[in-house]
Amino acid sequence: MTHTAIDYAAVFQAFPGVVALLTPDLVYADVNEEFLRVVGREREEIVGRHLDDLFPDNPNDPRATGMRNLKASLNRVVASGERETMALQRYDVELPDRPGHWEERYWSLVNAPLTAPDGKVELLVLRVEEVTELIRARGRPSGSHTRVLEAELYTRARELQELNERLRRAHAREREVALALQEAMLPARRQVRHRRAAVRYRPAVGALNVCGDWYDLVDLVGGHRIGVSVGDVVGHGLEAAGVMGQLRSALSAASRVAEGPAQALDVLGRYAHVVDGAESATAVATFVDLDRHTITYSSAGHPPPVLVHHDGRVEFLDRATDTPLDARPEPVPRPQAETGYGADATLVLYTDGLIERRGEDIDTGLARLADALARHRTDDPEPLADAVLLELLPPGGATDDTALIIVRL
């Protein structure tokens, strides 16, 4: 396979299905060739026109509500930012060569949002599949039987729409529960007492805003020291979040009494061995001595922390990397390393959602991170964190969770 850029405009036009792009105001931005073939119109007749102007409901049939239902669905997608599959719709089409004559058709529709970097819906994707022939093939009676069939179809459509709405409300409630659980298990910003620290948390796309990554920043016993750590549980959703909460709490407690980060990870590894769902979980722990200007660190299968020096030099702390937490049946002491830093250095810990991309070598992601940190190194932690996420995460969101913690030393 070559690395020639894909012409997505050509792919859109050649796509073997009826697809249209609309603005949030329901104006057609573009349609593909199959759309034009099915509706029997030219592109100039459609692009730039409002949905109401082009495809009104059949004025001769008060039961014709297909376009009204489609508009309601599209507006819900704009408001929620979530895809919606509609129930089967009957929509009559006015024959282009016979004005005033309408042909009965049936459609299956899916409406999906395309979001901008700020999360707002920028475009709507309307995917249409005509199923008229399928309905006809199942046998279409005439006369009173036709009206019975139509009434049954409308009843089933309304039932499906009501079911979709109930599912949407249930999804919203589950999301609220997930957010409350997440906030309860992760340290609040007010607990990050170091005055020059910033944290960011971005769940994967479609993960209900809850996931298995965690971060922690604690004051350590003895001297002017802090512990900074991040970890990653495989998977998304409430189950992964529950495992995450257990591991984060265990590492936070172990760090307060351990002699160093390697010992803290040893304790966490033993605990992970008896926690269902902790398989292949990773973590990295750093102990920062603010008086001696040293960082002691240890990694359990996790991407290396980054130390950005005041002069722009970027140092990956990768001399103490070991297997994931639950990788060995019998505990083995983990490696530990130490490095020094000067004034105004910056320590950065993160999870793999920030750097890994499908089909791309991880070194490419690490280089991208190093470049962003070096260029923005003079920024305070809060704007630095925003700049890193903006430059490294895909515009539509990553497919893996991301946690990021930045501490100015």
Side-chain angles (χ1 to χ4, degrees):
M1 178 178 179
T2 66
H3 295 283
T4 304
I6 297 174
D7 185 349
Y8 285 100
V11 172
F12 174 71
Q13 291 302 329
F15 186 76
V18 180
V19 183
L21 298 177
L22 295 93
T23 71
D25 296 326
L26 307 189
V27 173
Y28 281 94
D30 200 1
V31 295
N32 70 350
E33 293 297 334
E34 186 68 6
F35 186 100
L36 297 174
R37 187 192 68 78
V38 169
V39 302
R41 301 199 185 189
E42 299 295 327
R43 185 179 308 278
E44 294 75 17
E45 298 179 72
I46 296 177
V47 175
R49 301 279 300 280
H50 194 277
L51 190 67
D52 282 338
D53 297 336
L54 287 171
F55 302 109
D57 280 315
N58 184 352
N60 304 317
D61 188 346
R63 298 170 301 169
T65 60
M67 188 53 59
R68 189 186 318 163
N69 297 337
L70 174 59
K71 286 173 56 181
S73 173
L74 291 169
N75 286 325
R76 284 194 297 270
V77 173
V78 172
S80 68
E82 298 178 358
R83 186 175 71 171
E84 183 167 308
T85 300
M86 298 184 65
L88 179 69
Q89 298 292 317
R90 172 193 160 187
Y91 177 69
D92 297 348
V93 175
E94 187 175 15
L95 301 178
D97 55 346
R98 299 178 63 190
H101 291 79
W102 298 74
E103 183 178 66
E104 178 183 304
R105 295 189 185 179
Y106 294 89
W107 311 85
S108 171
L109 305 103
V110 178
N111 306 314
L114 288 177
T115 56
D118 61 3
K120 292 183 179 179
V121 175
E122 198 169 45
L123 285 172
L124 295 163
V125 180
L126 169 62
R127 196 277 295 161
V128 182
E129 181 179 359
E130 186 176 2
V131 294
T132 305
E133 294 304 320
L134 177 63
I135 296 295
R136 290 173 178 169
R138 295 175 66 90
R140 193 185 188 294
S142 59
S144 61
H145 294 288
T146 299
R147 290 190 291 273
V148 171
L149 175 60
E150 290 175 352
E152 182 177 350
L153 285 171
Y154 280 120
T155 299
R156 295 294 178 267
R158 284 195 298 270
E159 290 174 350
L160 286 172
Q161 287 173 334
E162 292 172 359
L163 177 59
N164 284 338
E165 179 60 22
R166 288 197 296 271
L167 289 173
R168 187 186 65 79
R169 289 196 296 265
H171 180 86
R173 287 194 296 270
E174 183 179 0
R175 186 171 183 173
E176 291 175 3
V177 171
L179 286 172
L181 174 64
Q182 197 78 69
E183 291 173 1
M185 290 192 298
L186 286 173
R189 287 178 178 269
R190 64 178 178 274
Q191 291 177 268
V192 182
R193 291 179 289 173
H194 193 285
R195 63 186 178 88
R196 294 195 296 176
V199 295
R200 294 291 185 273
Y201 200 72
R202 296 291 185 272
V205 174
L208 289 178
N209 277 348
V210 63
C211 58
D213 289 6
W214 83 83
Y215 62 84
D216 202 20
L217 194 155
V218 299
D219 290 320
L220 300 177
V221 177
H224 190 200
R225 301 188 305 150
I226 58 173
V228 188
S229 61
V230 296
D232 185 356
V233 171
V234 175
H236 311 291
L238 295 176
E239 183 177 353
V243 177
M244 173 274 290
Q246 296 179 71
L247 297 184
R248 188 201 69 82
S249 298
L251 181 57
S252 184
S255 296
R256 287 175 166 86
V257 297
E259 294 181 358
Q263 187 180 71
L265 290 180
D266 285 340
V267 173
L268 182 63
R270 297 184 186 188
Y271 179 66
H273 191 65
V274 298
V275 175
D276 290 337
E279 300 83 4
S280 301
T282 67
V284 61
T286 66
F287 284 15
V288 182
D289 191 318
L290 300 169
D291 293 328
R292 296 177 54 237
H293 284 201
T294 60
I295 301 173
T296 309
Y297 60 93
S298 183
S299 172
H302 202 83
V306 185
L307 179 61
V308 185
H309 296 274
H310 180 68
D311 61 3
R313 181 169 58 92
V314 176
E315 179 183 356
F316 284 100
L317 308 185
D318 56 5
R319 293 183 291 113
T321 300
D322 201 16
T323 57
L325 291 172
D326 192 31
R328 294 192 181 100
E330 297 295 332
V332 176
R334 292 184 180 274
Q336 181 172 293
E338 183 177 286
T339 191
Y341 66 89
D344 291 325
T346 303
L347 177 64
V348 181
L349 278 71
Y350 54 94
T351 55
D352 55 12
L354 186 67
I355 59 169
E356 290 187 353
R357 297 292 175 269
R358 183 174 297 176
E360 180 181 88
D361 190 270
I362 190 172
D363 288 338
T364 302
L366 291 172
R368 190 162 48 233
L369 174 61
D371 176 67
L373 290 172
R375 284 188 288 104
H376 297 284
R377 67 183 182 278
T378 58
D379 293 351
D380 286 336
E382 290 289 343
L384 175 57
D386 291 336
V388 168
L389 291 185
L390 180 63
E391 293 189 16
L392 269 69
L393 291 187
T399 57
D400 197 4
D401 310 324
T402 300
L404 171 68
I405 181 164
I406 297 176
V407 182
R408 184 62 46 79
L409 303 174

